[in-house]
Amino acid sequence: MPGESSTPVRLPAGHVETHTGQQQGRATPGRSVEAGLDALDTASVARPRRRPWHVLVHSVLPPVVFLAALVGVWQLVHAAGLKPSYALPSPTDVATTFWETVTDGRAAEAIWTSVSRGGVGFALSLVIGTLLGLAMWASTWLRAAIGPIVSGLQSLPSVAWVPAAIIWFQLTDAAIYTVVLLGAVPSIANGLLTGFKQVPPLFDRVGRVLGLGGLGRIRLVLLPAALPGYLGGLRQGWAFAWRSLMAAELITYSPSLGQGLGQLLNIGRELSQMSLVITSITLILLVGVAIELLVFAPLERGVLRRRGLTVDR
Amino acid sequence: MPGESSTPVRLPAGHVETHTGQQQGRATPGRSVEAGLDALDTASVARPRRRPWHVLVHSVLPPVVFLAALVGVWQLVHAAGLKPSYALPSPTDVATTFWETVTDGRAAEAIWTSVSRGGVGFALSLVIGTLLGLAMWASTWLRAAIGPIVSGLQSLPSVAWVPAAIIWFQLTDAAIYTVVLLGAVPSIANGLLTGFKQVPPLFDRVGRVLGLGGLGRIRLVLLPAALPGYLGGLRQGWAFAWRSLMAAELITYSPSLGQGLGQLLNIGRELSQMSLVITSITLILLVGVAIELLVFAPLERGVLRRRGLTVDR
Amino acid sequence: MSTVTASTSSGAGGLRSVGAEAGPSVRVQGVCQSFDRMGPPVLDGVDLTVAPGEFLCLLGASGCGKSTLLNLLAGLAEPTAGTVDVAADRPSLMFQEPALLPWLTAGGNVELALKPRGMRRAQRREESARLLRLVNLEGQSGKRPHELSGGMRQRVALARALAQDSPVLLMDEPFAALDAITRDVLHEELVRVWSTQRLTVVFVTHNVREAVRLAQRVVLMSSRPGRIVREWAVELSQPRAIESPGVGALATEITTELHREISRHAR
Amino acid sequence: MSTVTASTSSGAGGLRSVGAEAGPSVRVQGVCQSFDRMGPPVLDGVDLTVAPGEFLCLLGASGCGKSTLLNLLAGLAEPTAGTVDVAADRPSLMFQEPALLPWLTAGGNVELALKPRGMRRAQRREESARLLRLVNLEGQSGKRPHELSGGMRQRVALARALAQDSPVLLMDEPFAALDAITRDVLHEELVRVWSTQRLTVVFVTHNVREAVRLAQRVVLMSSRPGRIVREWAVELSQPRAIESPGVGALATEITTELHREISRHAR
Amino acid sequence: GSDDDTAAASTDGGVADEVRLGYFANVTHAAALIGVEQGYFADELGDGTTLSTQVFNAGPDEVEALFAGALDAAYIGPSPTINAYGQSNGDAIRIIAGAASGGAQLVVREGIDSPDDLRGTTLASPQLGNTQDVALRTWLTEQGLENSVEGGGDVTIAPTPNSDIPNLFQSGELDGAWVPEPYASALVLDAGGTVLVNEKDLWPDGQFVTTHLIVRTEFLEQYPETVDALLRAHVESVEFATDDPEGAKAAVNAALGEAGGRELAGPVLDRAWSELTVTYDPIATALARSAENGVAAGTTEEEVDLEGIYDLRPLNAVLSDQGLDPVTSEGLGEE
Ligand SMILES: Nc1ncnc2c1ncn2[C@@H]1O[C@H](COP(=O)(O)OP(=O)(O)OP(=O)(O)O)[C@@H](O)[C@H]1O
Ligand SMILES: Nc1ncnc2c1ncn2[C@@H]1O[C@H](COP(=O)(O)OP(=O)(O)OP(=O)(O)O)[C@@H](O)[C@H]1O
Ligand SMILES: [Mg+2]
Ligand SMILES: [Mg+2]
């Protein structure tokens, strides 16, 4: 009864679609429109480890090209004389100021002051925001009572808190942290709640079936399930914390508090020294990019990869 | 061969767990700890339509109680004289100022000016941020080039943009919108990207199997799949837009531009008039709460309910 | 509700100690369930009693309400009307889909079920390895759900359900994604575990032969609305072979009845 | 890659026009697939050719690589080595899990597959209603996936796969969650659609009887590594009854072989 | 606001279509407030030129707007003026008139009666490196009290926004503050402070500049007639302020309300007004000395060359038209 009925037959060219292991079809012209999208799709297939030049071409080159283009445009605009150079200094002016700020140690001091404040403030916000989020999740009453207010707080500008914080905590670090907390806590709590809301109910039911209590379900099921969304909330929370910190630093200056990036920016503005303003903005941006690249991007990549969500696209 | 073997047997009390349709077991003492959590769990079971008093008790009462408590504490602190009354005015003082501000039309004018600006700015940010997010998703190159910078931009304080915006757009609404856009666009683009990254790869594969092209997949599969996460991004984007607007409004006041909430707040600060400061904060908060309750909460509820994610908890 | 601990009066006695003579393990009385007020109810007046240590198979057309009934038994939903009594603190339920937690490995998923049992870490690891060996997944414990095949996921879910060690085991088409041979092996294991630990099993399947192979009693549900319409006691001795003539004969009878039942309602 | 449009030289001729005489519909040559560099490959040198209009059933132990192979055929992954040729612009694939999009209703899910075919709105609605009727889900088109039972979801997925109207149909255990009766009905429908539209079908199942009931050719895969080890041509005439002695006899033979194959590798 | 950088040129070249004027809602900007409130600017500019006003909260914002060409003329304090002049290498702006003088005091809490009592205290100034900040540092150094920008020394100086100072002073966080009007008056009248130093006493003739009127250099060159009109209105405002203090105070209060601010309480306004002199004299000597002091106090890194900062020719022309004495730039610019 058994019989091999599979006689290989020649395939007519052009009538079949071919997928080969060598991925040579990838470079075919005419596919380039979709290539960007498609190149991202084949997750979870073993691929050769990225070689150094590959990393260079795909990770280092693009931002460098982009920045070079940006500086080029800036130089062109400057050269065209659209704006007087005291309004828009040339890239070289800014580079000089930047270099001075770095070499005389002000940059390092300002970054250290701000980052350490930001770190402490964010760590506090993380704890408080997470606890608040959990409490709001656990108690419908609490959610109804303060849910909209917490969301509303997110949209209160940090400057609004500065007078209150100064009155209560004077010109101390406590005042600065208050402003940072009020900026970041609602965002983190809301991020956690949003993450929780998107957890498929099946997971919660699994937890209940397995006999986990309310707290066990939160710890072992809900929190890990909401992790990707929660991470998004943390990233935004950091942004809020950092911006609130800058706002607080702009307003409160005291020799005893040390000089942060916000104060550096403010000095630039006070002295109408555009190159210092641009230098401070660049420093603030650099810190933001560094935090993103060193903290959030790897965290997110790890979480997504672990649960088989496409990372490679 | 068939036979009914199910002779009903008396169940010994206390040895069995009973679930009844009348949910009378719910009020049993000793369960109250878990009740908060459990009461939220039974989604997708038909329940009687909420009666008005139910809405009152569960949605209106909690925030009212909370606010009353807040005002009570405030009054107590005020009465205790911990802080002098110029630093912490009494609730009645603030109520008077609030009432004056409302009756002389300044509140309405400020709210209208700010909300209309915020609305336009947010709408613009929505379009630009979404397009940017899509572009960054579609092109790995672009993502590598500007991804970290976009994330870094999120953490740049709005004030940093003010000089640049003024240089390019003078003291027009365009300058204000620029600041708002630079605040909100990165957040929206990042929210979209985060949402995309969390889409189970299965959905994308479904789209590909169904023969949808790159754009079709984005429009019909990826965007709707990422909607809950994207909504979270929008909410944060709004918060950024609104806060940036407040910062931008602090720069200048011109009769032609109208006086927004940010300016009202600043006047309070300049005059060291705490009751006006608190009034402005309250107004800003009210707007935030209103936007949350009227826009984002219903949107989110609709999206979650449609896909069977638990809303009732 | 899943965490209800005896809501009736005298709270004495461990729930696990319910013996055969103590009363039924599961009692469902006049249970109705509807999801929207408009349409017909999904379950309408279901009465069902399962004795302790009984192995019951539930058959019925696709969409007739079997999973809904299991959910009620597991305490994951409240019936719209009627009462559900289950003589277990926490019946163990194997969902129709594998329902593994994607951030945990296969082993981690099984260990999660061991946590509420108060096991220590090392003990948990050992027990989960034993259970995964039982379901023929030795050495796969480090894989994450997305790296497993459909049938492997279902087996992990089975191991997790067994890990709970509950006296009442509810299973919703647990072997649907398995090949005949693996399934045969697991049938044997399940019967062994059931008889040695005197479990009460409610087993939903679409494979009539499988039902006859395993059950002491086979219950047929009608659809729209879901009701219990027929029962068969299976008096064949264990072990039974799934392809044996005795199983085949009863299976044919039940299939005929199922056919009649479905043609009455479905179309 | 899924949207590759003929990457080989002469781009003439519609892809749909591939006739029986034009060559195989599916050709797999020396395909290897591994997911991690350490372990053994999942597929190792798979060769398989499916003629246009052929109905092929794929059997194999749980975890042997059947779904992996279907993914390669559907162009959802690239093989680590070897070539995969499919004579269809876009083969239609029914995933092992229902894979419905949760934000669309049952009808919406089916209509989504009709969109790339360029149908107008009204036409899409009509066609999706027809297909849902075909899979016995009349009147359920407005329900969302989470409101459907497991078997109903699978049937929606079937309707969606049929909606694509592709000449090559890949199905991964499509009837696993269905009761015997509904499955019988769908077997008939599938055979009718297959013969009238001259589809090429690759059908993965664990039910050996089902395989014999449907297929022209049954292919057995070994596991770890996955290879094609045996083939049977089924020479029974359609329509066949799943419980008929002819089907039973071949099924028993295949099961024996499957048993041998699995005991050689699995444990 | 306006859409173009430089107010569009009208036919005869000397008159702008629009003039964009910036000022603060503050009593030290009384000349601007009165001029706008009483309609002097509108009248002098005539029908050909529209006046658009911008109310700012801080000097740096105002300078940014000037740099960007978004503002043509502005009332502003001396330190942002010096910075703007220095940063643009003398290109961007010119001082065309003074606007106010005096009105800055060191107000301290009770119990501090002499400079020696200041040892170990914390004093506030409105802004690092601004006029009051420099004055405070210079004075402290003269008294032999050590202080530095980095903190440490006998007295700590905490630059704090004016608006936050009264609260901090009242809560005891600050022991004193060197502030301009009306904050000095508010500290004295509302917060129970006492005046330790009146800045007037430190300057020759008790005159030192608090507010200037400046214009963009480009605007000055392009639209001399418009600048003349502005100056005429400015001189009118000053005259009104000196001739009719009560009327001026009322006008200022009304203008404060209109500019979005709140009117000042009577006693505070009265006291502030008496400390302050509204004048068109730019008091060039004081500006030069203030710049020198800045370097000495360590708040400015290098001294700004003020040569050419003034262009007082149009003002002197207006003054001579009205039979008033001309003012001098002390060699720092055209007269
Ligand atoms: N959450 C829900 N909302 C609305 N309807 C639901 C919901 N859950 C189930 N149903 C409906 O209840 C009926 C019974 O569903 P159930 O899942 O219990 O069927 P089943 O017997 O398990 O079917 P299958 O064998 O296909 O798994 C179905 O018609 C389904 O549409
Ligand atoms: N993404 C992945 N990463 C790692 N391993 C994988 C992945 N996908 C599949 N595998 C492995 O490949 C093998 C074959 O999986 P596949 O899903 O093809 O099996 P199958 O034959 O469809 O089994 P079943 O009948 O249980 O569905 C399994 O051992 C599985 O663990
Ligand atoms: Mg079911
Ligand atoms: Mg499979």
Side-chain angles (χ1 to χ4, degrees):
Chain A
M1 200 184 292
E4 291 276 72
S5 67
S6 62
T7 42
V9 192
R10 210 179 34 82
L11 290 170
H15 280 204
V16 289
E17 179 187 8
T18 305
H19 319 296
T20 70
Q22 285 72 42
Q23 312 198 359
Q24 63 219 19
R26 281 305 174 82
T28 319
R31 296 190 52 227
S32 52
V33 180
E34 301 259 324
L37 288 163
D38 286 332
L40 318 167
D41 282 330
T42 34
S44 67
V45 173
R47 35 172 104 236
R49 225 164 70 74
R50 297 190 153 194
R51 265 150 296 167
W53 66 264
H54 191 264
V55 172
L56 189 80
V57 169
H58 290 262
S59 305
V60 178
L61 203 60
V64 168
V65 170
F66 175 75
L67 286 179
L70 205 69
V71 172
V73 170
W74 174 8
Q75 177 66 54
L76 277 183
V77 171
H78 178 79
L82 286 183
K83 299 278 163 185
S85 74
Y86 48 82
L88 183 74
S90 75
T92 18
D93 288 351
V94 175
T96 314
T97 312
F98 190 91
W99 187 240
E100 271 171 21
T101 318
V102 170
T103 45
D104 71 3
R106 279 163 89 196
E109 188 208 324
I111 289 179
W112 170 245
T113 309
S114 291
V115 168
S116 57
R117 273 182 197 153
V120 172
F122 182 64
L124 275 173
S125 314
L126 191 66
V127 174
I128 300 177
T130 304
L131 290 178
L132 182 66
L134 285 176
M136 282 170 68
W137 175 253
S139 151
T140 359
W141 196 92
L142 195 65
R143 193 134 33 105
I146 65 172
I149 295 174
V150 168
S151 287
L153 279 184
Q154 263 191 284
S155 51
L156 256 190
S158 327
V159 279
W161 293 119
V162 174
I166 290 183
I167 286 171
W168 283 96
F169 299 102
Q170 284 79 48
L171 287 172
T172 56
D173 271 345
I176 292 185
Y177 289 135
T178 308
V179 174
V180 171
L181 284 184
L182 284 163
V185 163
S187 170
I188 293 175
N190 259 339
L192 189 60
L193 273 183
T194 311
F196 276 179
K197 280 184 203 147
Q198 291 170 28
V199 171
L202 182 63
F203 291 164
D204 191 57
R205 306 170 103 202
V206 167
R208 291 163 67 200
V209 159
L210 295 185
L212 297 169
L215 283 182
R217 282 209 312 278
I218 286 183
R219 194 167 60 88
L220 297 170
V221 180
L222 226 53
L223 270 179
L227 199 56
Y230 178 50
L231 260 184
L234 289 191
R235 197 185 236 143
Q236 301 268 3
W238 163 255
F240 277 114
W242 183 251
R243 292 173 79 158
S244 304
L245 176 65
M246 292 298 116
E249 285 187 349
L250 278 180
I251 290 170
T252 58
Y253 171 86
S254 156
S256 59
L257 291 182
Q259 185 176 353
L261 288 169
Q263 280 124 1
L264 200 63
L265 173 63
N266 199 38
I267 290 174
R269 295 195 68 202
E270 297 284 350
L271 301 179
S272 301
Q273 201 181 333
M274 277 309 275
S275 56
L276 185 57
V277 169
I278 297 180
T279 297
S280 328
I281 292 180
T282 312
L283 286 174
I284 296 175
L285 196 59
L286 278 182
V287 171
V289 171
I291 299 277
E292 166 68 19
L293 288 181
L294 299 178
V295 180
F296 291 108
L299 258 179
E300 184 186 45
R301 214 176 305 131
V303 166
L304 293 180
R305 180 165 290 152
R306 283 225 294 164
R307 42 194 87 191
L309 293 168
T310 41
V311 243
D312 289 329
R313 43 179 171 186
Chain B
M1 202 185 288
E4 293 275 71
S5 69
S6 62
T7 41
V9 191
R10 209 178 36 79
L11 290 170
H15 280 204
V16 289
E17 177 188 8
T18 305
H19 318 294
T20 70
Q22 286 71 43
Q23 312 197 0
Q24 65 220 17
R26 281 304 174 81
T28 319
R31 295 189 52 227
S32 51
V33 180
E34 301 259 325
L37 287 163
D38 286 331
L40 317 167
D41 281 331
T42 34
S44 66
V45 173
R47 32 172 105 236
R49 227 165 69 73
R50 296 188 154 197
R51 266 149 297 169
W53 67 262
H54 191 263
V55 172
L56 189 81
V57 169
H58 289 263
S59 305
V60 178
L61 204 61
V64 168
V65 169
F66 175 74
L67 285 178
L70 204 69
V71 172
V73 170
W74 174 8
Q75 177 66 55
L76 276 182
V77 171
H78 178 79
L82 283 184
K83 296 279 164 183
S85 74
Y86 53 82
L88 184 75
S90 77
T92 19
D93 289 349
V94 174
T96 315
T97 312
F98 191 91
W99 187 239
E100 270 170 24
T101 318
V102 170
T103 45
D104 71 5
R106 283 165 87 197
E109 187 208 326
I111 288 178
W112 169 245
T113 308
S114 291
V115 168
S116 56
R117 274 181 195 154
V120 172
F122 182 64
L124 274 174
S125 314
L126 190 66
V127 174
I128 300 178
T130 305
L131 290 179
L132 183 66
L134 285 176
M136 283 170 69
W137 175 253
S139 151
T140 359
W141 196 91
L142 194 66
R143 190 135 34 105
I146 64 172
I149 295 174
V150 168
S151 287
L153 280 185
Q154 265 190 283
S155 50
L156 257 191
S158 326
V159 277
W161 293 118
V162 171
I166 291 185
I167 285 175
W168 285 102
F169 298 103
Q170 278 82 48
L171 294 170
T172 57
D173 269 346
I176 292 186
Y177 289 135
T178 307
V179 175
V180 171
L181 283 183
L182 284 162
V185 163
S187 171
I188 293 175
N190 258 340
L192 188 61
L193 272 182
T194 311
F196 276 179
K197 281 187 202 144
Q198 291 171 29
V199 172
L202 182 63
F203 291 164
D204 190 58
R205 306 171 104 200
V206 168
R208 291 164 67 199
V209 158
L210 295 186
L212 296 170
L215 283 182
R217 284 207 313 276
I218 285 184
R219 194 168 60 88
L220 297 170
V221 179
L222 226 54
L223 270 179
L227 199 57
Y230 178 50
L231 261 184
L234 289 191
R235 198 185 235 144
Q236 302 267 3
W238 163 255
F240 277 117
W242 183 250
R243 294 172 79 158
S244 304
L245 176 66
M246 293 297 117
E249 284 187 348
L250 290 181
I251 320 165
T252 171
Y253 161 77
S254 150
S256 60
L257 290 182
Q259 183 175 0
L261 288 168
Q263 280 125 0
L264 200 64
L265 172 65
N266 198 49
I267 291 166
R269 287 197 65 201
E270 289 290 332
L271 302 178
S272 303
Q273 200 183 333
M274 276 312 273
S275 58
L276 186 57
V277 169
I278 296 179
T279 297
S280 328
I281 291 182
T282 312
L283 285 175
I284 296 175
L285 197 58
L286 278 181
V287 170
V289 171
I291 298 278
E292 167 68 18
L293 288 181
L294 299 179
V295 181
F296 291 108
L299 257 180
E300 184 185 46
R301 215 176 304 129
V303 166
L304 293 180
R305 180 164 290 151
R306 285 224 294 163
R307 42 194 86 192
L309 293 168
T310 42
V311 243
D312 289 328
R313 42 179 172 186
Chain C
M1 323 138 326
S2 53
T3 44
V4 174
T5 54
S7 58
T8 34
S9 51
S10 82
L15 290 160
R16 288 298 172 81
S17 67
V18 177
E21 65 285 70
S25 222
V26 172
R27 191 171 64 179
V28 174
Q29 279 184 313
V31 157
C32 298
Q33 179 72 301
S34 35
F35 290 102
D36 51 80
R37 261 170 306 281
M38 306 298 120
V42 170
L43 298 179
D44 190 11
V46 172
D47 292 298
L48 182 69
T49 311
V50 187
E54 191 177 4
F55 199 126
L56 180 113
C57 275
L58 205 58
L59 287 177
S62 168
C64 75
K66 304 179 295 295
S67 303
T68 305
L69 183 58
L70 284 201
N71 269 346
L72 292 174
L73 294 184
L76 291 180
E78 307 262 347
T80 316
T83 54
V84 175
D85 304 317
V86 177
D89 187 15
R90 158 65 46 211
S92 113
L93 168 64
M94 202 181 144
F95 291 90
Q96 191 165 2
E97 55 272 70
L100 302 181
L101 304 180
W103 60 91
L104 294 176
T105 59
N109 268 285
V110 177
E111 282 174 40
L112 189 63
L114 298 168
K115 252 186 197 153
R117 284 172 60 187
M119 278 193 183
R120 315 278 305 284
R121 201 185 162 76
Q123 214 181 343
R124 282 209 303 269
R125 182 141 304 172
E126 209 171 277
E127 176 72 3
S128 98
R130 186 186 69 79
L131 286 163
L132 286 174
R133 210 176 313 122
L134 192 80
V135 297
N136 209 349
L137 283 176
E138 189 156 18
Q140 310 279 350
S141 110
K143 286 200 173 159
R144 298 192 183 274
H146 68 102
E147 299 171 330
L148 296 173
S149 82
M152 292 160 100
R153 275 180 230 160
Q154 214 171 19
R155 282 179 279 159
V156 175
L158 175 63
R160 189 175 63 182
L162 293 176
Q164 269 190 265
D165 198 29
S166 163
V168 176
L169 184 55
L170 312 170
M171 306 174 91
D172 203 348
E173 306 189 29
F175 303 139
L178 297 181
D179 62 280
I181 315 303
T182 311
R183 175 155 50 184
D184 269 356
V185 173
L186 291 180
H187 282 166
E188 259 167 59
E189 283 298 339
L190 180 60
V191 169
R192 195 183 56 73
V193 171
W194 162 68
S195 59
T196 54
Q197 298 181 22
R198 293 204 45 73
L199 301 178
T200 308
V201 181
V202 179
F203 188 104
V204 171
T205 179
H206 283 308
N207 189 325
V208 183
R209 273 172 188 270
E210 180 175 75
V212 177
R213 158 76 182 80
L214 294 169
Q216 290 179 306
R217 191 152 57 106
V218 176
V219 166
L220 176 62
M221 277 180 74
S222 66
S223 54
R224 256 164 277 167
R227 283 209 188 98
I228 308 284
V229 286
R230 252 325 264 284
E231 296 198 359
W232 291 267
V234 185
E235 270 135 17
L236 305 165
S237 66
Q238 289 284 9
R240 309 160 188 161
I242 198 165
E243 293 289 343
S244 71
V247 169
L250 185 50
T252 314
E253 185 194 326
I254 295 177
T255 308
T256 316
E257 183 65 26
L258 183 65
H259 205 159
R260 192 171 322 134
E261 187 53 45
I262 289 177
S263 29
R264 183 157 52 217
H265 292 274
R267 290 226 163 191
Chain D
M1 322 136 326
S2 54
T3 44
V4 174
T5 53
S7 58
T8 34
S9 50
S10 82
L15 291 160
R16 289 296 173 79
S17 66
V18 178
E21 64 285 67
S25 222
V26 172
R27 192 171 64 179
V28 175
Q29 280 184 310
V31 157
C32 299
Q33 180 72 300
S34 34
F35 290 102
D36 51 81
R37 260 170 306 281
M38 306 299 120
V42 169
L43 298 180
D44 190 9
V46 172
D47 292 298
L48 182 68
T49 311
V50 188
E54 191 177 2
F55 199 127
L56 180 113
C57 275
L58 205 57
L59 287 176
S62 168
C64 75
K66 303 179 295 296
S67 304
T68 306
L69 184 58
L70 284 200
N71 269 346
L72 291 174
L73 294 184
L76 291 179
E78 306 263 347
T80 316
T83 54
V84 175
D85 305 316
V86 178
D89 187 16
R90 159 64 48 213
S92 112
L93 168 64
M94 201 180 146
F95 292 89
Q96 191 164 2
E97 55 272 70
L100 302 182
L101 303 181
W103 58 92
L104 293 176
T105 59
N109 268 285
V110 177
E111 282 173 40
L112 190 63
L114 298 170
K115 252 188 197 152
R117 283 173 59 188
M119 279 193 183
R120 315 276 307 285
R121 203 186 162 74
Q123 214 182 345
R124 284 207 303 269
R125 183 142 302 170
E126 207 171 280
E127 175 72 2
S128 99
R130 187 185 71 78
L131 286 163
L132 287 175
R133 210 176 316 123
L134 192 81
V135 297
N136 210 352
L137 283 176
E138 190 155 18
Q140 311 279 351
S141 113
K143 286 199 171 160
R144 297 192 183 274
H146 68 101
E147 299 170 330
L148 295 173
S149 82
M152 292 159 99
R153 273 179 231 161
Q154 215 170 19
R155 282 180 278 158
V156 176
L158 175 62
R160 189 174 63 181
L162 293 176
Q164 270 190 265
D165 198 29
S166 163
V168 176
L169 185 55
L170 311 170
M171 307 175 89
D172 203 348
E173 306 188 27
F175 303 140
L178 297 182
D179 62 281
I181 314 304
T182 310
R183 176 155 47 185
D184 269 356
V185 173
L186 291 181
H187 281 165
E188 259 167 61
E189 283 297 339
L190 180 60
V191 169
R192 196 182 56 71
V193 171
W194 162 68
S195 57
T196 55
Q197 298 182 21
R198 293 205 45 73
L199 300 178
T200 307
V201 181
V202 179
F203 188 104
V204 172
T205 179
H206 283 309
N207 189 326
V208 182
R209 273 174 188 271
E210 180 175 76
V212 177
R213 157 76 182 82
L214 293 170
Q216 290 179 305
R217 190 151 58 106
V218 176
V219 167
L220 176 62
M221 278 179 75
S222 66
S223 54
R224 256 164 278 165
R227 282 208 190 100
I228 309 283
V229 286
R230 256 319 267 285
E231 296 197 359
W232 291 266
V234 184
E235 270 136 18
L236 305 165
S237 66
Q238 288 284 11
R240 309 157 188 164
I242 199 164
E243 294 288 344
S244 71
V247 169
L250 185 51
T252 314
E253 186 194 324
I254 295 177
T255 308
T256 316
E257 184 64 25
L258 184 65
H259 204 158
R260 193 172 322 135
E261 188 53 45
I262 289 177
S263 29
R264 185 158 49 217
H265 292 272
R267 290 226 163 192
Chain E
S2 136
D3 294 328
D4 46 3
D5 289 344
T6 47
S10 68
T11 39
D12 66 305
V15 180
D17 287 341
E18 186 189 23
V19 57
R20 294 160 297 176
L21 176 69
Y23 55 92
F24 297 1
N26 193 317
V27 70
T28 52
H29 288 231
L33 294 170
I34 292 169
V36 171
E37 170 70 18
Q38 302 291 94
Y40 296 150
F41 287 115
D43 290 347
E44 292 293 345
L45 287 169
D47 290 338
T49 307
T50 356
L51 172 75
S52 45
T53 56
Q54 301 278 353
V55 180
F56 284 83
N57 296 311
D61 294 335
E62 222 174 1
V63 170
E64 273 159 13
L66 277 166
F67 276 8
L71 214 55
D72 302 315
Y75 285 85
I76 194 167
S79 64
T81 310
I82 294 175
N83 284 331
Y85 190 75
Q87 290 302 330
S88 63
N89 291 321
D91 278 351
I93 52 128
R94 292 287 180 275
I95 301 175
I96 56 168
S101 139
Q105 294 163 341
L106 172 58
V107 183
V108 293
R109 65 175 163 76
E110 241 163 274
I112 298 177
D113 305 313
S114 72
D116 275 345
D117 294 342
L118 287 173
R119 250 171 243 286
T121 58
T122 303
L123 301 181
S125 67
Q127 215 174 65
L128 182 64
N130 92 332
T131 324
Q132 285 83 32
D133 188 60
V134 171
L136 173 60
R137 287 172 201 277
T138 314
W139 180 79
L140 285 174
T141 312
E142 280 167 8
Q143 303 301 314
L145 293 167
E146 234 182 90
N147 65 86
S148 79
V149 177
E150 288 76 32
D154 301 320
V155 176
T156 309
I157 298 174
T160 307
N162 277 328
S163 51
D164 294 331
I165 289 177
N167 286 331
L168 288 169
F169 181 75
Q170 272 169 308
S171 63
E173 179 70 9
L174 295 173
D175 300 294
W178 194 298
V179 280
E181 292 300 343
Y183 301 98
S185 297
L187 284 183
V188 171
L189 295 174
D190 297 342
T194 54
V195 177
L196 184 66
V197 183
N198 193 333
E199 198 174 338
K200 261 184 193 169
D201 306 338
L202 306 178
W203 296 87
D205 309 329
Q207 294 267 300
F208 62 100
V209 66
T210 309
T211 313
H212 285 137
L213 175 56
I214 65 179
V215 291
R216 278 192 301 120
T217 317
E218 243 174 77
F219 189 84
L220 178 62
E221 286 162 0
Q222 258 177 305
Y223 307 113
E225 292 185 21
T226 308
V227 171
D228 286 344
L230 271 180
L231 284 170
R232 281 196 299 275
H234 176 63
V235 172
E236 259 177 273
S237 302
V238 172
E239 303 273 70
F240 180 65
T242 35
D243 296 347
D244 179 6
E246 288 315 311
K249 276 189 269 185
V252 165
N253 241 351
L256 281 177
E258 246 167 59
R262 253 310 140 93
E263 295 162 25
L264 290 174
V268 174
L269 182 58
D270 289 342
R271 187 181 179 284
W273 197 259
S274 67
E275 294 294 335
L276 205 68
T277 316
V278 181
T279 169
Y280 44 75
D281 185 352
I283 317 167
T285 40
L287 189 72
R289 217 179 101 191
S290 168
E292 283 161 29
N293 287 349
V295 181
T299 55
T300 323
E301 276 159 32
E302 52 196 66
E303 193 174 340
V304 174
D305 181 7
L306 295 178
E307 181 72 44
I309 195 171
Y310 291 104
D311 190 341
L312 301 177
R313 288 171 299 179
L315 175 63
N316 281 334
V318 168
L319 291 177
S320 70
D321 277 354
Q322 303 189 6
L324 296 164
D325 294 336
V327 293
T328 169
S329 69
E330 301 290 341
L332 293 179
E334 315 283 348
E335 293 176 15

